[in-house]
Each structure stands twice: as structure tokens, then as C-alpha cells.
């Protein structure tokens, strides 16, 4: 795959899996050995100290940069020593677990932030992560598995990767590894089997991983075709390529509120926009003349959502307007928006008395536009 | 949704279950390693698994392997017992009788899509594999995307390569296990022994391989989805919902069905998802409306939609029930160009659908 335009920056490769034990780290280390044999300067910048025996064996023979030891609440934790990696300046640094949250007292909160620093120094990074750590998939993962994943990586970070490699294994083989004690310590196995590793979860996460990897390959291919000016549509797609599909270019508008469901709305909007190669804007409308006049709690919630949208590379806008639904719809009409994304709001008491709610106001008043009422994926369907 | 309300199993699924049960009685399993092109390392992955199983005490032998092998692969092969193929004047064939007499737990038959020499007891390798499975012998095998019958044409259009050796896709769907061996295109090319040009790999080669890679990942996802469905069904569980985008277009004579179908087609292609189009039949439609609906059905079918007519005097519930049974993630519905007496009495059907379709996105289209 073509490296990003900025050639002074290191390129990123992500080994994508669907659970602990599928073999991401093992594969990364194996490829690291192969590169080292070709004469490339490879180091292991971070490697889980409690790794599985097979994996530890695989790391042998590769240079490991000593971890940084940080004491927190009387315990010693190991983190990647980013400064040491920069000083060592290898061609390729292998960094396990991109989604990891650093222990308090570390320079940066998240490992993916450390990885940014390493990439900025012109070092190529290979790293590992699971599909459930992709931010925009968070609600879908919850809806499918009932598992709330807390450590996530913004989609933009994954998108930077020049290459995504799917590490695939059958759930059966994974369960065998688990039962042999090759993944977790014996006392953890029972818990894992009834929790994350249970029943249909593994199959569903595996399917998501494969589809995500296909999507990532597709995105890179489209970007590549655009920069190289390829006019010929790809054969694998019946659809026209992104370059020739401009007349039907979609533009998505996400309506931001203080409601907690907004996070889910932003993630879904981002995801759909990526698949449709659409532009994506987020809009907040306040009734008060100035944003600062909003009640503090509401303002903080809104600002959090706007920051979150920006972190997913969504352009944000703030408008003032008495009739919120009307302001949103007029903005959409004036900005060639093809689809408005709104949350499926619960009706408040006032709204119940009025017989309809805000979401329904938008649906009614935007009869010339497409309105997508996004399901609340944070609440699982009850049978 | 209660289990009793789940859709009936299709004949294909029943057949698959019967086949699976039959093999299971003997404990025999079929595992297929899928690659998007030569050089991804399928044989290595397969033989490495065979080696590990052998070391763990499983009785693994080799019944057939590819002719040309890398040094690494040959080193793995040396560790395993081999039953040589039958040599006939016409060529080679798997020595099924010898394997059955030897009766190992696991046998490697590779590549899956090869033909046996003319006059052999099975013309195709995959039939040999079936025979071993029926006799309680598990099989490890590998196949390239090019050799999957239903996908061959696409691969041919991308690479210009052709083959007469193919296996039906249903064979993959019926396998107990499938694993995709995924590597970046540059690695694949260097293993194929291509000389890297000064700028790396030629653009067109990389583009071809990327396309193949996407197809292979999606094919595997499809097989995994089918396996998940049988698993869930066999265990009487709720359908797993949301791994795959599935769009449902609700057609009515007074909504802009054509725009919805067109958008549905584009979404299906972009998401590599599924498209359904339905019409809820209400009594008292005029002849003109029926003609309109028939035309919409034609267009929907051309767009690749699965079409259905639902009969119900409660269209909203019928749509939501259908959506849940078919694991729909997005419902497309149109504003109606005119309000009927029912709408005035019961409220706007679009709003009623939004309220009823909990857990599913609803996309409302202009008329």
C-alpha cells in the first residue's frame, strides 16, 4: 500500500484480531523475525510481560527495548519507554496492544498516543489490536455481545495505517488454546468461557473482523486509485469507483444534543459516512442567544460530544435558533446535506403531552430530505 | 422474539445439518485454508497446524500435496508420514484405499480443487475429501480464491488467469472450519518470487492483489456468517444481529419506491450487505396501484433485492416482525404522497414505525 504523503513520518501496520489468543502478537513477531533476517533494523518496543509461552518463544532473538517501570498505588507497572525507543531509533518498532491505557503517572494516557510520537520520529510501527477496540464499532459490539469495551482507539488512528492484516483462527482452535491454558491462567479460563468467549460471541466478532478488514482494504484501494488517477472501476465492485460516483455524493449531518445517546449517534454517523464515502458534519443548535448561557451541565455534555465528533474527523458547527428542528433542517437544505442523522429519543413528559417529540418534528419538517433515525444500540433488544 | 417464531430452516440448511451430523457421528471434520492468491502461505499454515497436532499426539498423515514447495514447507513435510499418490499412465490420483486402510485421524489432501487422473474412482479431489469424511477421517486442505466456482469469473476478470479446476462454493459453506490466510500484497508477491522494482511493486499488481484480498475476506465473512446462523439455530438461540448490514426497503404505491430501491442498491454494494424489498399487501388496492407495485418488484429484483409480499392488516407490526426475523439493520420507508383515512385515524405510519422498530435504524425518504 502507498505510504501516507508525509514521507518523513513512519508508516503504521496493524494486526487485527477478534479476541485474546488469536495469534496477533505471534504473527507480528514472526513477521518481525522475517524482516530482521532481510537485514531490517527491528526492535520490540513493547511486549506484554505476562505473554503466553508460545509468544515469549517467538520473541527470542529479537532486540527488546527495556520497558519503563512506573509505580502506582504500591504496585509496579510496565509501560513502553517511548523516549528510549526514540533514542534507539530503529527502522521498525513492534508495539503490542495499541488500545492499552497507560497507568496514571505515564507521559501519555493511551498507548496509541505513544505510537503517534514514535511515528512522528520517522519510525515504522507494527502493532496489534482487536476489532472491538475500534471506536465507531463500540455500540455494535455491545449490541451483539453485551460486552462494554472501555479501551477504544479512534477510527482516525486505524485509518492512518498503511496496512491492516487480519489474523484469523477458528473459534474452535481458539477455545482449544484457551482450555489448554495457552491464553489465560487456569483460574481465568472458566470466567472467560462463560463471559467473552461464550457461545456465538466469537463467531460474531470474527465476522466483524473479516468485514472490517475487507472494508479497510477497500478504503485504501479507493484512496490509492484517487491519488493515482485510476479511471477504471475495480472489477470486484459492481459499483462505480468513488472517483466517478460524485454526482451521488452523500453528505451526512449528525444532530448533536446533550443527550448521552449522541455518542452512539456520532459513531454510527462516522461509520456510515466511511462506507458511503460521504462527507460528515455535526451540528448543535442552542435556543439561548449565546452558547455560554446554557446550563453548565448541558454545555459540558455538548462540548464533550463536539470534541468527540472532532476526534473522529467530523466537522462541527454550532448555531443559535429558536426552533431547533427548523434550524437543523434549514442548515441541511443550505448545505447540500442528503441525510440527517438523529437519535431515536425517548419521549419526555412534555413531549408526550404534545403527542410527538423532537425526532418526530425533524422527520415531519424535513420531508424533502432523508432522515435516518438511529437505533439506540446501547440498549440491547429484549425478547 | 420467541424461538417458536423463528423462521423455518431452509432446505439447504437442513441438508447441511444432516451432513454435519453424519460426519460428526464419526467425529470427522473438514478444515479449509483459503488464500487470495498463490504465495500467501496457505500450505505453510496448514502443514504447521498438522505438525502441531502431530506433536500433540494426533495421528496425522499426508495424502496429497502440491508439487512445487518452498524449503520451509518441505521441512514441515519431512516431519509427517506420507501416503504416496497412485501413479497411473494418465497421471496421479489420491490413494483412497491406502488411506482408508491406514485409517488416520487426520489426513492432508491438498490442493482441494485438483482433478484426479482420468479413470480414477473420483474425478475430483473434493470428492475424495467427502469420501474420507464419510469414513470418519478429518481432512485439512487449502484452496485459492480462483478455484471457487462462483468467484472464478471475477478473479479471471481481475487477473486474466483461468482454471478448469474448481470447487462449488457450497462446499466451503458446508465445511466445519474455514480460515483465511491474510498477508499484505507486497509480502505475497515477494513469496511468489517476483522481482521488486525500484519503486516497490508495480501499481497494477498491487491493485489486483488488493481486489482479490477484499473478495477473499468477504467470502470468509459470508461462510462465518452462515456458520454462526447454524450455530445459533442449533442451540435455539436468538439470531445474532448487527454483524452485517441488511437493508429493508418498504414499498408502497404512494411513496418514492424507486429512489429507495436505488439507494438500497448503493448501500448494499458499499456495505457489501444484503438488500430486501417488501410490500405489505392491504385489501382494497386499485388495479393501477397493483400495476405500480409489480413494476417496483421488477426494479427491486434487478437491484439484487430479495423480494417478499407480506399479508397483514397491521402493516407496521408486519414490517417490524419481518425485519427482526431477517436481522435487518436499516429500514427504508417513504413519506406517503397522500394521507389515507387510516393515517388520520391512527397517526402518521412513518412515526409509528419509528416508535415500533426499536434496535433498528429507520431511514425516511422524501416522496
Amino acid at each position: 500500500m502507498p505510504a501516507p504523503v508525509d514521507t518523513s513520518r513512519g508508516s503504521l501496520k496493524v494486526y487485527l484480531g477478534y479476541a485474546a489468543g488469536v495469534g496477533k502478537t505471534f504473527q507480528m513477531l514472526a513477521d518481525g523475525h522475517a524482516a530482521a533476517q532481510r537485514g531490517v533494523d527491528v526492535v520490540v518496543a513493547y511486549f506484554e510481560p505476562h505473554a503466553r509461552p508460545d509468544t515469549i518463544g517467538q520473541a527470542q532473538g529479537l532486540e527488546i527495548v527495556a520497558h519503563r517501570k512506573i509505580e502506582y498505588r504500591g504496585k509496579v507497572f510496565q509501560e513502553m519507554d517511548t523516549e528510549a525507543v526514540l533514542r534507539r531509533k530503529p527502522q521498525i518498532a513492534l508495539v503490542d496492544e495499541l488500545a492499552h491505557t497507560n497507568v496514571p503517572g505515564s507521559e501519555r494516557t493511551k498507548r496509541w498516543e505513544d505510537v503517534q510520537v514514535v511515528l512522528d520520529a520517522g519510525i515504522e510501527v507494527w502493532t496489534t489490536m482487536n476489532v472491538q477496540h475500534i471506536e465507531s464499532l463500540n455500540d455494535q459490539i455491545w449490541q451483539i455481545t453485551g460486552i462494554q469495551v472501555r479501551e477504544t482507539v479512534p477510527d482516525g488512528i486505524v485509518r492512518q495505517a498503511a496496512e491492516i492484516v487480519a489474523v484469523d483462527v477458528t473459534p474452535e482452535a481458539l477455545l482449544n488454546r484457551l482450555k489448554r491454558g495457552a491464553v489465560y491462567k487456569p483460574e481465568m479460563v472458566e470466567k472467560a468461557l462463560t463471559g467473552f468467549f461464550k457461545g456465538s460471541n466469537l463467531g460474531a466478532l470474527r465476522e466483524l473482523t473479516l468485514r472490517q478488514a475487507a472494508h479497510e482494504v477497500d478504503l485504501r484501494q479507493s484512496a490509492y486509485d484517487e491519488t493515482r488517477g485510476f479511471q477504471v472501476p475495480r472489477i470486484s465492485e459492481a459499483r462505480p469507483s468513488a472517483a466517478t460516483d460524485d454526482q451521488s455524493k452523500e453528505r451526512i449531518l449528525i444532530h448533536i444534543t446533550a443527550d448521552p445517546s449522541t455518542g452512539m449517534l456520532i459513531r454510527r454517523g462516522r461509520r456510515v459516512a466511511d462506507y458511503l464515502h460521504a462527507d460528515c458534519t455535526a451540528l448543535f443548535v442552542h435556543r439561548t442567544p449565546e452558547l455560554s448561557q446554557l446550563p453548565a451541565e448541558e454545555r459540558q455534555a455538548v462540548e464533550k460530544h463536539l470534541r468527540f465528533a472532532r476526534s473522529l474527523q467530523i466537522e462541527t458547527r454550532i448555531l443559535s435558533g429558536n426552533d431547533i428542528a427548523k434550524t437543523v433542517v434549514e442548515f441541511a437544505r443550505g448545505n447540500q446535506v442528503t441525510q440527517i442523522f438523529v437519535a431515536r429519543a425517548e419521549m419526555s413528559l412534555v413531549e408526550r403531552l404534545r403527542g410527538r417529540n423532537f425526532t418526530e418534528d425533524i422527520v415531519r419538517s424535513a420531508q424533502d430530505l432523508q432522515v435516518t433515525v438511529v437505533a439506540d444500540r446501547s440498549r440491547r433488544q429484549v425478547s | 422474539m420467541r424461538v417458536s417464531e423463528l423462521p423455518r430452516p431452509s432446505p439447504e440448511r437442513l441438508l447441511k445439518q444432516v451432513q454435519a451430523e453424519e460426519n460428526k457421528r464419526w467425529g470427522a471434520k473438514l478444515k479449509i485454508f483459503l488464500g487470495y492468491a498463490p504465495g500467501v502461505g496457505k500450505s505453510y499454515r496448514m502443514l504447521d497446524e498438522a505438525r502441531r497436532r502431530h506433536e500433540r499426539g494426533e495421528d496425522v498423515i499426508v495424502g496429497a500435496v502440491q508439487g512445487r514447495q518452498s524449503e520451509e514447507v518441505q521441512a514441515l513435510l519431512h516431519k509427517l508420514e506420507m501416503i504416496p499418490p497412485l501413479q497411473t499412465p494418465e497421471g496421479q490420483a489420491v490413494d483412497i484405499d491406502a488411506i482408508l486402510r491406514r485409517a488416520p485421524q487426520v489426513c492432508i489432501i491438498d490442493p482441494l480443487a485438483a482433478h484426479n487422473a482420468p479413470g480414477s474412482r473420483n474425478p475430483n479431489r473434493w470428492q475424495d475429501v467427502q469420501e474420507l469424511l464419510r469414513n470418519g477421517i478429518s481432512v485439512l486442505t487449502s484452496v485459492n480464491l480462483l478455484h471457487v466456482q462462483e468467484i472464478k469469473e471475477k478473479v479471471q476478470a481481475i487477473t486474466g488467469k483461468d482454471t478448469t479446476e474448481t470447487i462449488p462454493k457450497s462446499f466451503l459453506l458446508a465445511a466445519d472450519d474455514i480460515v483465511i490466510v491474510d498477508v499484505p500484497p507486497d509480502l505475497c508477491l515477494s513469496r511468489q518470487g517476483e522481482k521488486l522494482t525500484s519503486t516497490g511493486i508495480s501499481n497494477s499488481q498491487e491493485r489486483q492483489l488488493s481486489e482479490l484480498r477484499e473478495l477473499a475476506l468477504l467470502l470468509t465473512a459470508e461462510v462465518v456468517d452462515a456458520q454462526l446462523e447454524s450455530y445459533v439455530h442449533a442451540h435455539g438461540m436468538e439470531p445474532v444481529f448487527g454483524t452485517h448490514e441488511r437493508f429493508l426497503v418498504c414499498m408502497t404505491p404512494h411513496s418514492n419506491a424507486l429512489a429507495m430501491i436505488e439507494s438500497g442498491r448503493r448501500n448494499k454494494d458499499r456495505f457489501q450487505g444484503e438488500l430486501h424489498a417488501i410490500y405489505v399487501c392491504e385489501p382494497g388496492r386499485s388495479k393501477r396501484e397493483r400495476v405500480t407495485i409489480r413494476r417496483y418488484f421488477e426494479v427491486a429484483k434487478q437491484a439484487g433485492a430479495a423480494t417478499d409480499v407480506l399479508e397483514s392488516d397491521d402493516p407496521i407490526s408486519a414490517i417490524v416482525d419481518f425485519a427482526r426475523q431477517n436481522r435487518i439493520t436499516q429500514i427504508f420507508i417513504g413519506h406517503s404522497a397522500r394521507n389515507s383515512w387510516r393515517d388520520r385515524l391512527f397517526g402518521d405510519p412513518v412515526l409509528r414505525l419509528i416508535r415500533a422498530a426499536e434496535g433498528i435504524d429507520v431511514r425516511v425518504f422524501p416522496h
Side-chain angles (χ1 to χ4, degrees), chain A residues 1-2 13 26-27 31 38 54 140 143-144 163-173 177 180 198-211 213-215 217-218 221-222 224-225 228 230-242 245 248 250 268 271-273 275-277 339 341 344 347 355-357 359-360 363-364 366-377 379-383, chain B residues 1-2 29 31 45 48-49 52-53 56 153-154 157-159 176-187 190-191 201-204 206-208 210-215 217-218 220-222 224-228 231-232 237-238 240-247 259 263 265-267 269-273 324 327 329-330 335-336 348 350-367:
Chain A
M1 275 301 126
K13 174 149 101 177
F26 190 89
Q27 186 64 47
D31 291 355
R38 287 197 303 271
D54 285 3
Q140 237 167 304
Q143 192 182 28
I144 293 168
E163 197 60 74
I164 306 271
V165 182
V167 181
D168 191 32
V169 68
T170 61
E172 196 199 6
R177 284 181 198 172
R180 278 202 311 274
K198 73 161 190 254
S200 51
N201 277 1
L202 293 178
L205 290 169
R206 184 180 177 212
E207 186 184 345
L208 272 181
T209 307
L210 293 164
R211 292 196 186 280
H215 173 55
V217 170
D218 184 64
Q221 197 64 45
S222 303
Y224 182 76
D225 284 4
R228 304 271 164 145
F230 267 102
Q231 293 301 318
V232 198
R234 274 171 280 143
I235 290 147
S236 50
E237 49 184 18
R239 58 195 189 250
S241 77
D245 204 16
S248 55
E250 298 242 18
R268 181 70 177 163
R271 212 167 163 71
V272 172
Y275 273 92
L276 298 180
H277 302 165
Q339 242 193 101
F341 269 57
R344 185 183 181 284
M347 280 210 228
R356 58 184 214 216
N357 65 13
T359 303
E360 300 183 348
V363 172
R364 270 174 210 273
Q367 298 223 352
D368 54 335
L369 292 165
Q370 291 174 26
V371 179
T372 301
V373 182
V374 174
D376 190 350
R377 289 178 169 75
R379 297 194 308 156
R380 304 195 74 201
Q381 269 174 262
V382 212
S383 46
Chain B
M1 194 176 356
R2 287 187 302 278
K29 288 199 161 184
K31 184 165 185 171
R45 271 283 298 268
D48 197 41
E49 171 159 340
R52 270 181 284 129
R53 288 197 189 189
R56 262 184 245 128
E153 259 178 51
K154 276 189 186 170
I158 293 168
T159 64
D176 298 282
D177 283 324
I178 183 168
V179 172
I180 184 166
V181 183
D182 183 42
V183 298
D186 53 349
L187 201 58
S190 70
R191 285 197 197 141
I201 303 143
S202 84
N203 295 345
S204 63
E206 175 147 353
R207 195 171 188 257
Q208 283 182 5
S210 273
E211 282 201 67
L212 297 180
R213 194 178 166 201
E214 189 183 347
L215 286 176
L217 285 162
L218 289 169
T220 315
E222 189 184 333
V224 170
D225 191 72
Q227 287 176 345
L228 191 59
Y231 177 90
V232 161
M237 292 157 66
E238 299 256 328
V240 176
F241 169 91
T243 50
H244 188 190
E245 292 292 335
R246 294 179 165 89
F247 305 91
S263 177
R265 183 196 60 76
R266 207 165 58 237
N267 276 270
D269 288 346
R270 287 273 191 225
F271 282 90
Q272 300 283 345
R324 294 210 196 287
R327 301 191 279 162
T329 55
Q330 278 195 54
H335 282 294
S336 179
D348 186 341
V350 169
L351 298 185
R352 284 194 290 136
L353 178 72
I354 291 170
R355 288 176 200 167
E358 197 176 326
I360 303 171
D361 291 353
V362 178
R363 187 154 155 196
V364 186
F365 280 70
H367 53 73

Side-chain angles (χ1 to χ4, degrees), chain A residues 240-253:
Chain A
S241 77
T244 59
D245 204 16
D246 264 347
Q247 60 276 30
S248 55
K249 179 99 182 167
E250 298 242 18
R251 201 174 288 260
I252 288 172
L253 180 68

Side-chain angles (χ1 to χ4, degrees), chain B residues 303-315:
Chain B
T307 53
D308 274 286
V309 179
L310 310 181
E311 305 232 6
S312 171
D313 46 14
D314 181 0

